[in-house]
Amino acid sequence: MRRMVLTLFSSFVIMMLLRVPIAISLSLATVFVLMQSDFNMNMVPQRMFSALDSFALMAIPGFVLAGVILARGGISKYLIEALRTWVGHLPGGLSVVTILACMVFAAISGSSPATAAAIGSIMIPAMVSAGYDKKYSMGLVAAAGTLGILIPPSIPLIIYGITAEESIGKLFMAGVIPGVLLGGVLIVSAIYYAKRNGYGSDAKSSGRERIKASIKALWGAFLPILILGSIYTGIATPTESAVIAVAYGLIVSVGIYREMGLKDIRPIMTETINITSMIFLIIAAASLFGLYLTNEQVPQTVGAWIAASDMNKWMFFLIVNILFFIMGTFLEAVSVILITLPILLPIIKHLGIDPIHFAIVMTVNMELAMITPPVGLNLFVVGGIAKEKLEVVVRGVIPFIILFIFVLAFFVIFPQLSLWLPNMMQ
């Protein structure tokens, strides 16, 4: 078994180094080792299709489509304008606006790259024009954009819930306090950085300007309440709330803001299909990977080793966080979750770790993966918006990586930050 598992991982790494797409690398490596056993290869396509046969997975294209509509339909623009009238006069006002806008957009889209793209396309040029250092501006947007996968709804939390058979509603609720706390930490750091570097702020808006901008943005600001409220009150499932978000976004963008027409439908659908198909192909490929691990009883073997080694949960968290950080440098979030979770689930249950708490720890690690080179998706998104090389974006994001590591340790030590709201649902 050891030889076959080694063959599986080494062939996967080799194909990754050859720049073969992650989903293809994962599926080909698994098929290669399965062919060397007596496994019935007719099960391969059946397994891949059955992995996608889930009602909960339908929420992913829904939230992706909702995020694209909001970015193109003017909703994100009006939210930013309203936030600017309220907090733009603070030290580092534009950076505070950027973080708050990412938090609001995160509560709609469920996607980190979508959040970074929607907010960054507006705020990076605005911050640079106001005299902010370009590296800092790019790093801030890349880091704040990661809130898109922590603040609910969250695509990685949906994947986690399906894989671990946990309530997606409870997982969403678990991300609220950590997401708000992480956003608050970013805001405090932004104000401190602005004061230290002497960055200016906007003139304080009048009450009339604030009211006018807020009324204009009210339609978009109501959407997170609609999504999360429909889930937590039991009116709709996460999948149904995604459809509600799409319908509401279309009504507001086309009928109220009038910033989207028929010409926008094709690029919106193209972008949605590209993002969704990438995620679904990874899920299908990872299901094969999980099938092989299960057949070879790898999770049980690893679990038995952990039990025999008498490892406590703090040592486990340390090892797992290091593992996630390393994997995050060359894999994206969905791949890491689907590859590691089937192996880790028996261990966290053995150690008495709450799976919902572990989900938040894992998600914050995936946020780090979004901003760690060489394949952090947010780095490429921000680099494309600012027309800068990857290494320039990386220099801007390094301070935020360090900040995220400290916040991650805080969430590991205090599980009630993740568990208080889900426990209220019982």
Side-chain angles (χ1 to χ4, degrees):
M1 184 187 76
R2 288 183 179 179
R3 184 179 66 83
M4 296 301 291
V5 172
L6 182 61
T7 301
L8 172 64
F9 282 100
S10 58
S11 56
F12 172 62
V13 171
I14 289 170
M15 282 187 280
M16 285 287 298
L17 293 174
L18 294 173
R19 296 186 179 275
V20 178
I22 293 171
I24 306 301
S25 300
L26 202 54
S27 55
L28 286 180
T30 308
V31 168
F32 177 68
V33 294
L34 287 174
M35 288 175 64
Q36 300 181 49
S37 65
D38 57 356
F39 186 78
N40 182 2
M41 297 305 292
N42 291 328
M43 289 287 293
V44 170
Q46 179 182 337
R47 176 72 180 198
M48 295 181 76
F49 278 103
S50 65
L52 302 176
D53 185 18
S54 169
F55 179 73
L57 280 179
M58 292 175 63
I60 294 175
F63 285 123
V64 171
L65 178 56
V68 176
I69 290 171
L70 300 184
R72 292 176 175 266
I75 293 177
S76 58
K77 180 179 72 175
Y78 292 120
L79 283 171
I80 288 172
E81 289 177 359
L83 289 170
R84 195 164 180 175
T85 63
W86 285 98
V87 299
H89 64 282
L90 297 175
L94 285 181
S95 53
V96 176
V97 169
T98 300
I99 297 162
L100 289 174
C102 285
M103 291 174 71
V104 174
F105 198 87
I108 300 170
S109 70
S111 167
S112 175
T115 302
I119 305 305
S121 59
I122 300 172
M123 293 309 300
I124 290 177
M127 291 178 71
V128 172
S129 297
Y132 285 75
D133 179 69
K134 192 173 185 180
K135 291 197 301 293
Y136 171 77
S137 303
M138 293 186 296
L140 179 68
V141 170
T146 65
L147 293 169
I149 64 169
L150 181 58
I151 295 176
S154 162
I155 290 173
L157 286 178
I158 293 172
I159 302 296
Y160 184 101
I162 294 169
T163 307
E165 298 181 352
E166 291 288 336
S167 165
I168 294 175
K170 287 188 177 181
L171 288 170
F172 279 2
M173 189 69 85
V176 173
I177 293 177
V180 172
L181 280 176
L182 182 53
V185 169
L186 287 172
I187 290 171
V188 171
S189 71
I191 293 173
Y192 170 77
Y193 185 84
K195 286 183 175 180
R196 195 184 70 178
N197 290 275
Y199 290 143
S201 57
D202 292 344
K204 191 171 184 177
S205 300
S206 66
R208 178 174 294 181
E209 289 172 331
R210 288 176 175 177
I211 292 171
K212 183 179 178 181
S214 298
I215 292 173
K216 187 78 172 178
L218 196 59
W219 294 102
F222 177 70
L223 188 48
I225 300 172
L226 180 64
I227 294 172
L228 301 180
S230 64
I231 295 173
Y232 300 144
T233 58
I235 296 174
T237 65
T239 300
E240 291 164 347
S241 70
V243 177
I244 293 170
V246 171
Y248 183 86
L250 282 172
I251 292 170
V252 173
S253 299
V254 176
I256 298 175
Y257 290 153
R258 300 182 184 276
E259 296 212 6
M260 202 173 75
L262 289 175
K263 69 180 187 303
D264 299 305
I265 298 298
R266 184 183 178 90
I268 285 173
M269 295 306 298
T270 300
E271 185 175 349
T272 302
I273 291 169
N274 286 341
I275 296 172
T276 304
S277 58
M278 175 190 72
I279 295 171
F280 275 33
L281 187 57
I282 292 172
I283 293 171
S287 72
L288 282 183
F289 185 83
L291 175 65
Y292 174 77
L293 294 180
T294 302
N295 284 348
E296 296 295 326
Q297 294 190 321
V298 173
Q300 293 85 343
T301 304
V302 175
W305 174 75
I306 294 290
S309 65
D310 199 27
M311 182 184 297
N312 62 41
K313 69 176 183 179
W314 303 113
M315 182 59 68
F316 170 75
F317 269 124
L318 178 62
I319 293 172
V320 164
N321 285 328
I322 294 172
L323 173 67
F324 286 155
F325 187 83
I326 294 171
M327 294 185 71
T329 61
F330 62 92
L331 292 172
E332 50 75 52
V334 174
S335 301
V336 176
I337 293 171
L338 291 170
I339 291 171
T340 61
L341 192 55
I343 299 173
L344 297 176
L345 272 175
I347 303 172
I348 65 175
K349 290 176 181 177
H350 172 77
L351 294 175
I353 298 169
D354 193 297
I356 292 180
H357 173 223
F358 187 77
I360 300 306
V361 172
M362 193 174 198
T363 303
V364 177
N365 274 284
M366 296 308 99
E367 290 188 276
L368 275 166
M370 293 289 181
I371 54 175
T372 48
V375 295
L377 293 180
N378 282 18
L379 302 178
F380 292 99
V381 170
V382 169
I385 292 170
K387 297 180 173 58
E388 283 287 357
K389 294 180 180 179
L390 179 64
E391 54 266 29
V392 179
V393 185
V394 171
R395 286 201 297 270
V397 86
I398 286 174
F400 295 101
I401 292 177
I402 297 170
L403 185 65
F404 273 45
I405 291 173
F406 280 108
V407 174
L408 172 61
F410 191 73
F411 291 155
V412 169
I413 295 169
F414 299 102
Q416 282 306 311
L417 293 172
S418 309
L419 298 176
W420 183 62
L421 287 179
N423 290 340
M424 296 283 286
M425 296 176 66
Q426 294 178 353

